[in-house]
Every structure is written in C-alpha cells, then in structure tokens.
Amino acid sequence: MFGLFKKKSPLEKLQEKYKKLMEEAYKLQSINRTDSDTKYKEADDLLKKLLNYKLILN
C-alpha cells in the first residue's frame, strides 16, 4: 500500500519497456518474422541504452 504512489526510476522504466518489447517480438515470431526482427532490434537498442545508463550510475 505504501508503494502505491512510488514513482519509478528511469532505469525501472527502461527495464519494463525492454521486457515488453521482447515479449512482443516473441509473439510476433511465429506470425510475421520481419516485424519480429524489428522489435528485437528496438529491444537491442534499448538494452544498449540501459547498460550505458547503469554504467553511468556506477
């Protein structure tokens, strides 16, 4: 209950977005391979941004 109004950090937002993109890419894999590859590319770019952000914080 106390975490109800807790704001997410930019790192948590990026992690959630990455997870969502990977799930979408997995679902598209059996339907449309080119769209799936596009989603994987977006997720990979986001992962690079996420790793850079973690390096900056440490």
Side-chain angles (χ1 to χ4, degrees):
M1 172 134 178
F2 293 106
L4 183 64
F5 297 109
K6 181 184 172 197
K7 293 189 178 192
K8 294 181 182 177
S9 71
L11 182 64
E12 290 172 332
K13 289 179 185 178
L14 287 174
Q15 288 173 337
E16 282 188 19
K17 189 172 181 181
Y18 174 76
K19 183 179 176 184
K20 183 180 174 186
L21 282 171
M22 289 301 287
E23 288 173 358
E24 289 176 10
Y26 179 74
K27 289 177 185 175
L28 283 171
Q29 194 171 17
S30 61
I31 300 168
N32 189 341
R33 185 65 186 181
T34 56
D35 287 347
S36 174
D37 290 344
T38 304
K39 290 286 181 183
Y40 275 122
K41 174 70 171 120
E42 288 178 35
D44 186 50
D45 292 342
L46 188 65
L47 180 63
K48 289 176 185 175
K49 184 186 292 187
L50 189 89
L51 292 174
N52 285 335
Y53 188 77
K54 281 185 177 181
L55 286 174
I56 291 171
L57 289 178
N58 290 333

